[in-house]
PDB file of all heavy atoms in Angstrom:
ATOM      1  N   PHE S 308       2.034   5.283  -3.474  1.00  0.00           N
ATOM      2  CA  PHE S 308       1.118   5.073  -4.610  1.00  0.00           C
ATOM      3  C   PHE S 308       1.243   6.137  -5.627  1.00  0.00           C
ATOM      4  O   PHE S 308       1.361   5.850  -6.849  1.00  0.00           O
ATOM      5  CB  PHE S 308      -0.392   5.015  -4.041  1.00  0.00           C
ATOM      6  CG  PHE S 308      -1.399   5.045  -5.196  1.00  0.00           C
ATOM      7  CD1 PHE S 308      -1.292   4.220  -6.198  1.00  0.00           C
ATOM      8  CD2 PHE S 308      -2.499   5.875  -5.040  1.00  0.00           C
ATOM      9  CE1 PHE S 308      -2.307   4.208  -7.258  1.00  0.00           C
ATOM     10  CE2 PHE S 308      -3.433   5.939  -6.013  1.00  0.00           C
ATOM     11  CZ  PHE S 308      -3.327   5.061  -7.085  1.00  0.00           C
ATOM     12  N   MET S 309       1.200   7.396  -5.211  1.00  0.00           N
ATOM     13  CA  MET S 309       1.367   8.485  -6.244  1.00  0.00           C
ATOM     14  C   MET S 309       2.723   8.469  -6.935  1.00  0.00           C
ATOM     15  O   MET S 309       2.862   8.834  -8.154  1.00  0.00           O
ATOM     16  CB  MET S 309       0.991   9.832  -5.639  1.00  0.00           C
ATOM     17  CG  MET S 309      -0.472   9.935  -5.378  1.00  0.00           C
ATOM     18  SD  MET S 309      -1.051  11.608  -4.937  1.00  0.00           S
ATOM     19  CE  MET S 309      -0.354  11.724  -3.260  1.00  0.00           C
ATOM     20  N   ALA S 310       3.788   8.039  -6.215  1.00  0.00           N
ATOM     21  CA  ALA S 310       5.102   7.916  -6.739  1.00  0.00           C
ATOM     22  C   ALA S 310       5.048   6.752  -7.862  1.00  0.00           C
ATOM     23  O   ALA S 310       5.672   6.879  -8.924  1.00  0.00           O
ATOM     24  CB  ALA S 310       6.122   7.623  -5.773  1.00  0.00           C
ATOM     25  N   GLY S 311       4.223   5.785  -7.608  1.00  0.00           N
ATOM     26  CA  GLY S 311       4.074   4.611  -8.550  1.00  0.00           C
ATOM     27  C   GLY S 311       3.371   5.165  -9.821  1.00  0.00           C
ATOM     28  O   GLY S 311       3.744   4.718 -10.907  1.00  0.00           O
ATOM     29  N   VAL S 312       2.362   5.967  -9.646  1.00  0.00           N
ATOM     30  CA  VAL S 312       1.740   6.506 -10.817  1.00  0.00           C
ATOM     31  C   VAL S 312       2.675   7.367 -11.616  1.00  0.00           C
ATOM     32  O   VAL S 312       2.677   7.319 -12.888  1.00  0.00           O
ATOM     33  CB  VAL S 312       0.440   7.390 -10.391  1.00  0.00           C
ATOM     34  CG1 VAL S 312      -0.134   8.124 -11.615  1.00  0.00           C
ATOM     35  CG2 VAL S 312      -0.570   6.487  -9.727  1.00  0.00           C
ATOM     36  N   LEU S 313       3.463   8.170 -10.944  1.00  0.00           N
ATOM     37  CA  LEU S 313       4.493   8.931 -11.677  1.00  0.00           C
ATOM     38  C   LEU S 313       5.479   8.085 -12.442  1.00  0.00           C
ATOM     39  O   LEU S 313       5.782   8.337 -13.590  1.00  0.00           O
ATOM     40  CB  LEU S 313       5.227   9.840 -10.647  1.00  0.00           C
ATOM     41  CG  LEU S 313       6.346  10.722 -11.200  1.00  0.00           C
ATOM     42  CD1 LEU S 313       5.722  11.736 -12.191  1.00  0.00           C
ATOM     43  CD2 LEU S 313       7.055  11.441 -10.086  1.00  0.00           C
ATOM     44  N   GLY S 314       5.953   7.034 -11.787  1.00  0.00           N
ATOM     45  CA  GLY S 314       6.844   6.097 -12.488  1.00  0.00           C
ATOM     46  C   GLY S 314       6.224   5.428 -13.657  1.00  0.00           C
ATOM     47  O   GLY S 314       6.814   5.251 -14.719  1.00  0.00           O
ATOM     48  N   PHE S 315       4.943   5.048 -13.517  1.00  0.00           N
ATOM     49  CA  PHE S 315       4.133   4.413 -14.610  1.00  0.00           C
ATOM     50  C   PHE S 315       4.069   5.347 -15.793  1.00  0.00           C
ATOM     51  O   PHE S 315       4.225   4.964 -17.024  1.00  0.00           O
ATOM     52  CB  PHE S 315       2.816   3.989 -14.076  1.00  0.00           C
ATOM     53  CG  PHE S 315       1.853   3.531 -15.149  1.00  0.00           C
ATOM     54  CD1 PHE S 315       2.156   2.407 -15.926  1.00  0.00           C
ATOM     55  CD2 PHE S 315       0.701   4.270 -15.404  1.00  0.00           C
ATOM     56  CE1 PHE S 315       1.199   2.018 -16.919  1.00  0.00           C
ATOM     57  CE2 PHE S 315      -0.178   3.897 -16.392  1.00  0.00           C
ATOM     58  CZ  PHE S 315       0.038   2.780 -17.150  1.00  0.00           C
ATOM     59  N   SER S 316       3.893   6.590 -15.508  1.00  0.00           N
ATOM     60  CA  SER S 316       3.742   7.559 -16.548  1.00  0.00           C
ATOM     61  C   SER S 316       4.956   7.881 -17.328  1.00  0.00           C
ATOM     62  O   SER S 316       4.953   8.285 -18.513  1.00  0.00           O
ATOM     63  CB  SER S 316       3.148   8.911 -16.029  1.00  0.00           C
ATOM     64  OG  SER S 316       4.155   9.635 -15.307  1.00  0.00           O
TER      65      SER S 316
END
Side-chain angles (χ1 to χ4, degrees):
F308 169 47
M309 286 190 291
V312 174
L313 181 62
F315 170 64
S316 73

